[in-house]
Amino acid sequence: MQLEQLRELVVETLNDMKANDIEVIDVRGKTAVTDFMIIASGTSDRHVKAIAETVAFRAKDAGEAPLGTEGVAEGEWALVDLNGIVLHVMLPKVRDFYSLERLWLAPAVVPQTAAQHS
């Protein structure tokens, strides 16, 4: 499955599961860990858990088994690692606290050299 198809599958599943505030962030060039981070909110611990489990199941069913999952049992913040895509599903209060969008959407800091200062 192509990366774009997997991204569409994840977003479609998030919409089907009524996830809130879905954000797709292209992190290529910012990290070697993944190409896309997808962040979404659930309305309760059970909703967060159900969203993460359903995304993992549908990805596996499409031939892209997750490399791993974290936090699904607790339900406040679940992570699904699909290799080229890392999905974070969080309760709104957790999402607000960690502000992952702000971190990954921040412009890159370019160090100034001595020649640039003169």
Side-chain angles (χ1 to χ4, degrees):
M1 173 176 277
Q2 297 286 333
L3 184 60
E4 288 73 25
Q5 292 171 312
L6 181 58
R7 186 181 66 213
E8 289 173 17
L9 174 78
V10 171
V11 171
E12 180 181 303
T13 303
L14 292 170
N15 282 317
D16 290 349
M17 294 296 297
K18 307 289 190 238
N20 296 320
D21 304 319
I22 300 165
E23 183 87 40
V24 178
I25 305 170
D26 185 340
V27 293
R28 293 176 283 198
K30 292 185 177 186
T31 181
V33 174
T34 192
D35 294 325
F36 290 95
M37 292 228 182
I38 300 178
I39 305 168
S41 297
T43 57
S44 68
D45 315 16
R46 296 175 85 185
H47 191 216
V48 168
K49 181 179 178 177
I51 292 167
E53 289 175 341
T54 302
V55 168
F57 175 80
R58 288 190 182 170
K60 183 178 179 183
D61 199 41
E64 294 291 334
L67 296 178
T69 59
E70 294 290 330
V72 176
E74 294 82 15
E76 286 191 359
W77 179 351
L79 181 142
V80 181
D81 185 348
L82 297 166
N83 193 16
I85 296 173
V86 173
L87 170 65
H88 298 271
V89 185
M90 297 176 256
L91 291 175
K93 66 180 180 182
V94 175
R95 186 171 177 174
D96 289 343
F97 181 79
Y98 287 101
S99 300
L100 292 182
E101 293 95 335
R102 190 173 44 152
L103 172 71
W104 289 106
L105 291 171
V109 176
V110 179
Q112 299 279 325
T113 63
Q116 291 173 321
H117 290 299
S118 41

